[in-house]
Amino acid sequence: MQWVLIGSGGILVAVAISVLAGRARDTTRARRMEAALIERASRPDNEAVDAASRTELPAPVARYFRHVLMDQRRPIKTARIRQAGVLRTSTTAGRWLPFTATQLVVPPAVGFLWNARVEMPLATHLRVQDSYIDGSGAGRVSLLSALSVASAADTPALNSGALHRYLAEAVWCPTALLPRSGVMWSPIDDHTAMATMTDRGTTVSLQFRFNDAGEVVGIYSPGRFGRFDGEYRRVPWEGHFRDYQVQGGMRVPGYGEVGWHDGGTLQLVWKGRITEVQYELGP
């Protein structure tokens, strides 16, 4: 019995060491990705930005910028956003899981890193890291922030889906939606416009919906790439925003939710509130 206890204790120690080592690797990886994003902010693709800056803004888009930018004239260089909310792993999952997340967005580099802790049953958690860096989308899920469960990177479908997400979440970095940031706007009607962005060979378009106040209250794509039943498919994707608040001299939504259309019905999979935003502005 003594040898059994000693053996069990040795196994527990080995598991603990493995988890700690895995967490250290995960932390180091995230720090390297952040550093890569910030370094790329100093060398944006000015040619694409200059070409886009000559477009004329549709009326609802012009109202939006007047409303949300207020007196802000300097572009956002980096944004660090803290979030809290709930998510579920698919449109059919019955359980909503609480999460907290930090997100680094670097508009000059057209990139982001989302680092989330998702609480699971039995006092466990998942670490989820999604990113778009240098035109490459990536995702990684690890148990206890240590043991890799799933990962994928740099496929055309994943890159497109990540750029769609960057464009939609630019409502939290309004200057990233300006034409000089590479966004081409096309009119649809007095409360709707289409935003198109091309980055490193990937082009996505997203419909933005505005209220009378000039706020973005929704986004819609008839076909964003998502992973369903083990494969990537284009599926209608929709999001909603509300509770605008002033952060860093700009108006941004305090709440957002997104989901996929499944069987003709919108099924939400993510609901989150912004708990803190820190902006670094460029010249």
Side-chain angles (χ1 to χ4, degrees):
M1 180 63 70
Q2 183 180 12
W3 289 108
V4 171
L5 293 175
I6 293 174
S8 299
I11 292 172
L12 291 175
V13 170
V15 169
I17 292 173
S18 176
V19 168
L20 290 174
R23 288 182 180 177
R25 287 193 299 269
D26 233 33
T27 300
T28 300
R29 178 177 178 272
R31 287 175 178 169
R32 286 175 178 169
M33 293 170 75
E34 281 201 10
L37 258 180
I38 292 172
E39 188 274 333
R40 282 154 179 76
S42 63
R43 48 184 179 88
D45 185 356
N46 290 319
E47 182 177 351
V49 171
D50 289 344
S53 66
R54 293 192 289 269
T55 62
E56 184 177 347
L57 290 175
V61 181
R63 286 198 305 269
Y64 165 73
F65 286 128
R66 285 196 300 268
H67 178 67
V68 302
L69 292 183
M70 303 167 66
D71 295 326
Q72 182 59 254
R73 294 294 180 267
R74 297 168 62 191
I76 296 169
K77 185 177 180 181
T78 65
R80 295 183 182 273
I81 304 169
R82 293 188 180 275
Q83 308 166 342
V86 292
L87 58 78
R88 53 180 178 162
T89 56
S90 73
T91 57
T92 57
R95 181 190 293 270
W96 286 87
L97 304 170
F99 76 88
T100 54
T102 59
Q103 182 159 348
L104 171 66
V105 185
V106 184
V110 188
F112 70 86
L113 171 62
W114 190 69
N115 196 340
R117 177 186 169 113
V118 182
E119 302 301 330
M120 300 289 288
L122 303 177
T124 61
H125 74 271
L126 295 175
R127 177 68 58 186
V128 181
Q129 292 178 344
D130 290 336
S131 64
Y132 182 77
I133 302 173
D134 265 353
S136 175
R140 186 172 187 271
V141 180
S142 57
L143 180 63
L144 300 176
S145 301
L147 310 173
S148 180
V149 174
S151 64
D154 199 20
T155 67
L158 189 54
N159 299 345
S160 175
L163 185 57
H164 257 123
R165 174 176 173 175
Y166 170 86
L167 187 56
E169 294 181 353
V171 293
W172 284 298
C173 299
T175 63
L177 290 171
L178 286 166
R180 71 187 183 204
S181 296
V183 180
M184 305 288 291
W185 288 98
S186 304
I188 296 178
D189 58 40
D190 196 49
H191 289 87
T192 317
M194 186 72 71
T196 299
M197 172 172 259
T198 298
D199 183 60
R200 295 168 178 83
T202 299
T203 298
V204 299
S205 293
L206 197 59
Q207 185 184 110
F208 280 70
R209 299 166 177 172
F210 305 85
N211 62 13
D212 289 336
E215 299 166 343
V216 172
V217 293
I219 51 92
Y220 175 76
S221 169
R224 180 196 175 207
F225 275 111
R227 192 170 179 84
F228 302 91
D229 300 323
E231 63 179 12
Y232 285 98
R233 292 189 284 114
R234 288 186 184 272
V235 175
W237 183 65
E238 184 172 343
H240 308 132
F241 305 101
R242 65 173 186 260
D243 299 343
Y244 274 69
Q245 54 194 248
V246 176
Q247 297 277 3
M250 293 165 282
R251 291 188 176 97
V252 297
Y255 173 84
E257 59 186 28
V258 292
W260 303 91
H261 284 261
D262 188 356
T265 303
L266 176 61
Q267 298 290 340
L268 296 175
V269 294
W270 187 95
K271 306 174 186 178
R273 288 201 167 273
I274 303 304
T275 59
E276 183 183 359
V277 183
Q278 295 180 338
Y279 294 114
E280 179 186 356
L281 301 180

